[in-house]
């Protein structure tokens, strides 16, 4: 089945630094990738939709200048958390859309801890 | 506001019993429904998806959809301790600029005790 690889699986950084998270579709081309965030004991919340070759679409309340998304190819999308703060500590998960109406496939997630 | 509602639980069932997980959604135009299982600290994994009214069975899992009532459920037969996890109901947005977006319920914590 379709495989989505996410890297790194966990990262610890100091407040004020930037962190880049990669999401790759390994055996298919993903025209659309989604970035979710999950805080402890809460459900997944969509942050943004990443389309190859165009600007990402951000959900209400998500700062586009803080969470930079780049989808430069059909197999790679990156999320950069800029000037990270402790409140950005969360579980970040990407997913990819294969063909219309197919179940989304999730990466393994990235646990970000900002100290 | 598109919403997906689940009972957060926890739902506790004995090993071998049937676990019943329920979900309601507000967007009547929704067409695709998914159940994901999420173990603590892990990413969600797809269990089943259902598009048509009625039942869909896959091994020990049965998804049920009633679009008129805007209700979708997941039954787990012969529950095992390894089924203990959080179960997320998700609805795929119907189309247009929102296509592909999943709206998740808050999840139901299931505990299967020996």
């Amino acid at each position: 089945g379709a495989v989505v690889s996410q890297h790194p699986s966990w990262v610890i950084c100091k407040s004020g630094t930037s962190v880049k998270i990669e999401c790759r579709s390994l055996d298919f081309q993903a025209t659309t990738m989604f970035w979710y965030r999950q805080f402890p004991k809460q459900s997944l919340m969509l942050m943004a939709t990443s389309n190859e070759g165009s600007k990402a679409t951000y959900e209400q309340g998500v700062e586009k200048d803080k969470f930079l998304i780049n989808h430069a190819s059909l197999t790679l999308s990156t999320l950069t958390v800029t000037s990270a703060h402790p409140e950005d500590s969360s579980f970040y998960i990407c997913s990819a859309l294969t063909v219309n109406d197919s179940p989304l496939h999730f990466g393994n997630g990235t646990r970000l801890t900002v100290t | 506001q598109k919403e997906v509602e689940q009972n957060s639980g926890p739902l506790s069932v004995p090993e071998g019993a049937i676990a019943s997980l329920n979900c309601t959604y507000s967007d009547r135009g929704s067409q695709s429904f998914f159940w994901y299982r999420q173990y603590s600290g892990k990413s969600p994994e797809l269990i089943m998806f259902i598009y048509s009214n009625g039942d869909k069975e896959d091994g020990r899992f049965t998804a049920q959809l009633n679009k008129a009532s805007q209700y979708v459920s997941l039954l787990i037969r012969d529950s095992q301790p390894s089924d203990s996890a959080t179960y997320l109901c998700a609805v795929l947005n119907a189309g247009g600029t929102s296509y592909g977006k999943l709206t998740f319920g808050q999840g139901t914590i299931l505990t299967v005790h020996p």
Side-chain angles (χ1 to χ4, degrees), chain A residues 47-92:
Chain A
M47 299 176 65
T49 302
S50 169
N51 295 296
E52 187 268 335
S54 64
K55 291 184 178 180
T57 303
Y58 291 81
E59 296 300 302
Q60 190 173 10
V62 178
E63 300 175 58
K64 62 180 181 181
D65 294 329
K66 180 172 182 63
F67 299 99
L68 302 179
I69 292 173
N70 183 277
H71 193 160
S73 75
L74 287 171
T75 59
L76 174 65
S77 176
T78 61
L79 168 68
T80 301
V81 183
T82 63
S83 186
H85 291 285
E87 58 265 30
D88 298 323
S89 298
S90 186
F91 192 44
Y92 292 85

Side-chain angles (χ1 to χ4, degrees), chain A residues 101, chain B residues 2 25-33 51 67 70 91-95:
Chain A
D101 219 25
Chain B
K2 297 180 173 60
Y25 58 95
S26 63
D27 184 4
R28 186 170 289 278
S30 299
Q31 297 293 320
S32 306
F33 308 88
Y51 303 152
K67 291 184 180 180
Q70 296 175 234
V91 176
L92 189 65
N93 286 20

Side-chain angles (χ1 to χ4, degrees), chain A residues 34 36 38 43-44 46 49 59 91 93 97 99-104 106-109 111, chain B residues 32 34 36 38 41-44 46 49 51 88 92 99-107:
Chain A
F34 302 89
Y36 292 83
Q38 186 178 35
S43 192
L44 281 75
L46 181 65
T49 302
E59 296 300 302
F91 192 44
I93 310 171
L97 189 64
V99 297
N100 286 350
D101 219 25
S102 293
L104 300 186
F106 285 88
N108 289 329
R111 176 78 56 193
Chain B
S32 306
F34 305 86
Y36 289 87
Q38 186 177 29
K42 301 295 185 182
S43 191
L46 181 67
F49 58 91
Y51 303 152
L88 299 168
L92 189 65
Y99 187 79
K101 292 183 181 179
L102 280 177
T103 301
F104 285 88
Q106 66 268 42

